[in-house]
Amino acid sequence: MLKNLISRLFGKRNEPAADNRLLQAKSLLEQGEHSKAFTVLTTLAREGQPEAQYLVGQAYLNAQGAPPNLIEGARWTRRAALKGWDRAAFILATLYLHGLPPEVEEGESLSSVFEDYKKREKAQPDYYKAARWARQAAEAGNPDAQALYGYILSAGPDDIRDPDQALLWYQKSADAGCLQGYLGLGLAALKGAQTYEQYAQAAVELQKAADGGLGTALYLMGVMAERGTGVPQDDALATAYFGRAAEQNVRGGQAKYGIALMAGKGIERNRDRGESWLRKAALAGDAEAAAILGDWYGRGIDLPPNYAEAISWYRFASEHGHAAASHTLGTIYMAGVGVPKDPEAASFWFKLAAEQGDKKATADLANLVLEGDAPREDGRALMEFYKHAAEEGDLLAAFNFGVCLAQGVGVERDEEEALLWLHKAAEKVVNAQYWYGKMLLQGRGVAQNPVEGRAWVQKAAEAGMAEAEIAYADLLVTGVGGPKNHPEALRIYKQAAEKGTASAMFSVAALYGGGHDVPEDRALAREWFLRAAEQEHPAAQLMIARYYANGLGGEKDLEQARIWYRKAEAQNLAQASAELASIGTGGTVPLPAES
């Protein structure tokens, strides 16, 4: 008892001294004397003064008067929070949302206050501990903590999520004039909004936060003004919001503002300023901004293309998970645009893009594999990927797996099993219908079945697949698997030709050229042969040369004939060389046979 009495007596006598020292430390902080303030605060913190503990934690966290040390900063903040200091509880909740290492609570000592935290395994967010401390501060009346607790209740794990309670806490925060409270109410309203009026209600709350200069709210108001969602559509106003958000270091705002400046959208066009803001957004980790810069340099907008710069930005975007940028890199290396053509590099980027979720990249990788341009191990990996997805019911993967089996890519060729997967995929995949029909027509993996094969090819053709249209029209011309029908074949060839398919153009010309069950029309034949020849079709180049040389379907033009004969000759057509020589000696060239 005597000990307790002495403690109480001396404790009371020392309280004014402690208060004076705390006031002295705060005064030093205001004067920028952080190191001197830290010396005083550490003594008070060790004596158990909660505000001093909080300020010591801030010193470590903000590297003001003390070396940066996350764990020590969190420990001292936690001690203050345990004593009911609501600001400390709020800060601690925020730290837990970003992820704190276990040493904060385990009491383990670090070897050095200068330990490199980047080398440590990144701690994961802990919504449960964040909720515990945010609630403590919220119930103590801290408006920032009330908004934070509302966020945790609306965005946390399912077992702690409570949208109704979140709204109540957001409202309490907003009632206290807290910008984060307004933002929370606006976000909650946006989440369930479907009508213009509901979006307008969200905009009311977001506008309050934006008027206070809150970056996220400024960005969201910019998006709403840009789209005309809940507020009138206004490009100039949207760009102004994005500009203010950009100044607040909101990455999305920086990207949007940069794009607006480069395009002159709602603001006077300024390419240099726009690029500068896009760079800021990209370097802050905005993958879309980096991809846009890649597009800008790659397409040479305003300036000649700079492929090195474009590739650099695409790589940056890819490293930040941008699937389309990875796919673009694959396309660049496949085509050799600004870099040496490199199928292996293309395969790498297509593979990465596919892993990042780009389905088109999977198809491009498959094309490389089927053409033998991708590493063998990629073929095996691709086959395993397709097999697994096909077994899970993915019909597109079933088609690709069937093609791998039919072609022997990444696996032993097995046409019987290929047919099974192609037949399964043919339920919905047009390409599978075409492949399955062709294999039945050719008797691959099963006895030839021209009738059923033709029916499947017809189905794919009716779905609009150009390659299938040509194949089905060929069957109508030859009569394989069913009756001949040249007028219908002509109609279908024309459909495929209008999609830019040179072989279909050639076939249209051949039908008009005579010898088929459609009226002969050499003028139309000449027109279609010319269209196909201009698409680098070798046989069409030879035929149009003959038409010019003989004056078929139009005037005779030996000079044009020579031009087209030379083009056909360059494509290794022996007849072209012989007939070109005949023109040179005044001889005759053969009339085109009925094609």
Side-chain angles (χ1 to χ4, degrees):
M1 287 181 63
L2 180 61
K3 182 177 180 182
N4 291 338
L5 177 61
I6 293 173
S7 176
R8 289 198 299 273
L9 288 172
F10 279 93
K12 288 180 180 178
R13 287 182 182 176
N14 289 336
E15 280 177 6
D19 289 342
N20 290 336
R21 282 181 289 159
L22 183 58
L23 291 173
Q24 176 194 2
K26 286 182 172 181
S27 176
L28 289 170
L29 288 174
E30 290 173 1
Q31 297 168 33
E33 298 285 350
H34 297 289
S35 296
K36 291 180 180 179
F38 182 74
T39 301
V40 177
L41 289 170
T42 51
T43 301
L44 291 169
R46 291 192 183 98
E47 292 174 0
Q49 215 288 341
E51 186 176 4
Q53 291 172 335
Y54 165 71
L55 292 172
V56 168
Q58 288 292 288
Y60 279 119
L61 293 172
N62 298 320
Q64 291 185 326
N69 191 312
L70 173 63
I71 291 179
E72 282 302 308
R75 282 178 178 173
W76 281 109
T77 302
R78 186 170 183 271
R79 289 164 187 160
L82 286 168
K83 293 192 174 182
W85 198 259
D86 64 271
R87 189 67 187 170
F90 165 68
I91 296 296
L92 190 60
T94 304
L95 292 172
Y96 273 119
L97 278 182
H98 285 86
L100 280 176
E103 289 86 347
V104 170
E105 296 177 42
E106 292 174 0
E108 297 178 8
S109 298
L110 297 178
S111 58
S112 168
V113 294
F114 298 104
E115 181 174 344
D116 185 356
Y117 291 102
K118 291 182 180 179
K119 295 180 180 178
R120 302 171 61 87
E121 184 177 346
K122 183 174 175 59
Q124 297 301 310
D126 190 329
Y127 280 90
Y128 300 95
K129 290 178 181 175
R132 178 250 191 272
W133 293 110
R135 180 172 183 171
Q136 174 180 311
E139 289 176 341
N142 185 296
D144 288 325
Q146 290 167 344
L148 181 63
Y149 189 44
Y151 166 76
I152 295 169
L153 291 174
S154 63
D158 289 341
D159 56 345
I160 62 172
R161 195 173 295 182
D162 189 336
D164 294 334
Q165 280 294 309
L167 274 176
L168 292 175
W169 285 108
Y170 281 142
Q171 190 63 61
K172 286 185 179 183
S173 176
D175 289 343
C178 178
L179 299 180
Q180 294 288 350
Y182 296 133
L183 176 63
L185 289 173
L187 289 172
L190 276 181
K191 191 173 183 179
Q194 293 182 337
T195 66
Y196 185 91
E197 290 71 23
Q198 289 170 332
Y199 280 109
Q201 184 180 353
V204 170
E205 301 299 337
L206 292 172
Q207 185 67 64
K208 295 173 186 176
D211 289 343
L214 196 61
T216 302
L218 288 164
Y219 171 73
L220 290 172
M221 287 302 300
V223 172
M224 295 177 81
E226 181 182 50
R227 299 175 181 174
T229 306
V231 295
Q233 199 281 331
D234 188 331
D235 285 338
L237 181 60
T239 298
Y241 277 126
F242 290 140
R244 291 176 62 194
E247 296 288 354
Q248 297 288 331
N249 294 319
V250 177
R251 282 188 336 202
Q254 292 171 338
K256 288 278 193 179
Y257 191 49
I259 293 168
L261 284 164
M262 293 178 89
K265 184 179 178 182
I267 194 171
E268 184 178 351
R269 191 169 185 268
N270 190 319
R271 180 193 179 282
D272 292 336
R273 283 188 66 211
E275 182 185 1
S276 175
W277 279 111
L278 271 176
R279 282 178 176 269
K280 284 183 180 180
L283 293 173
D286 191 305
E288 184 64 26
I292 290 169
L293 284 168
D295 290 343
W296 193 269
Y297 282 106
R299 294 174 184 171
I301 301 172
D302 291 341
L303 295 171
N306 184 333
Y307 296 118
E309 187 79 4
I311 289 170
S312 173
W313 284 113
Y314 283 135
R315 283 179 177 269
F316 187 95
S318 173
E319 289 166 3
H320 286 77
H322 199 283
S326 302
H327 184 218
T328 300
L329 284 167
T331 304
I332 286 171
Y333 280 100
M334 184 172 68
V337 179
V339 293
K341 195 171 182 179
D342 188 341
E344 190 169 337
S347 175
F348 169 82
W349 291 111
F350 284 145
K351 188 176 179 181
L352 178 59
E355 290 170 355
Q356 292 170 333
D358 191 308
K359 291 186 177 180
K360 192 173 185 304
T362 305
D364 286 331
L365 178 59
N367 288 334
L368 279 177
V369 169
L370 292 172
E371 292 166 8
D373 289 332
R376 184 178 296 273
E377 56 271 19
D378 281 354
R380 287 193 294 270
L382 186 68
M383 187 276 295
E384 288 297 329
F385 168 79
Y386 285 144
K387 181 180 180 182
H388 176 73
E391 289 171 344
E392 293 292 317
D394 186 325
L395 294 182
L396 183 58
F399 161 67
N400 286 315
F401 183 47
V403 172
C404 287
L405 287 164
Q407 301 287 80
V409 175
V411 66
E412 287 294 322
R413 186 188 297 250
D414 187 336
E415 293 183 340
E416 288 186 30
E417 189 177 356
L419 273 176
L420 294 175
W421 286 107
L422 289 171
H423 186 232
K424 183 179 180 64
E427 296 172 20
K428 292 185 179 179
V429 180
V430 174
N431 286 34
Q433 294 166 356
Y434 171 69
W435 265 78
Y436 185 63
K438 291 286 283 184
M439 290 187 72
L440 290 175
L441 285 164
Q442 296 165 4
R444 294 177 58 187
V446 70
Q448 262 187 317
N449 189 335
V451 175
E452 189 179 352
R454 174 166 161 159
W456 279 107
V457 172
Q458 179 182 359
K459 192 171 184 178
E462 289 171 348
M465 181 184 178
E467 194 173 358
E469 288 173 334
I470 295 167
Y472 180 53
D474 289 344
L475 294 171
L476 290 170
V477 170
T478 61
V480 173
K484 292 183 180 181
N485 189 335
H486 289 194
E488 179 65 6
L490 178 62
R491 184 187 70 80
I492 296 173
Y493 280 136
K494 283 184 177 179
Q495 281 183 188
E498 293 303 330
K499 294 170 184 172
T501 309
S503 60
M505 297 174 190
F506 179 83
S507 295
V508 171
L511 285 177
Y512 278 129
H516 297 91
D517 298 331
V518 294
E520 181 180 308
D521 189 330
R522 289 293 178 91
L524 278 175
R526 177 168 172 154
E527 178 185 323
W528 282 100
F529 277 134
L530 181 58
R531 287 180 63 180
E534 289 170 344
Q535 296 292 321
E536 306 296 326
H537 191 285
Q541 291 173 340
L542 177 63
M543 291 300 291
I544 192 62
R546 288 173 175 174
Y547 267 61
Y548 278 124
N550 290 288
L552 297 174
E555 294 183 2
K556 190 173 184 176
D557 190 333
L558 293 181
E559 185 56 36
Q560 280 295 315
R562 290 188 183 94
I563 290 171
W564 286 108
Y565 272 129
R566 290 190 186 102
K567 290 188 176 184
E569 184 181 40
Q571 299 213 54
N572 300 316
L573 288 184
Q575 305 99 306
S577 300
E579 292 174 24
L580 179 60
S582 296
I583 290 178
T585 59
T588 59
V589 297
L591 289 172
E594 289 84 353
S595 303

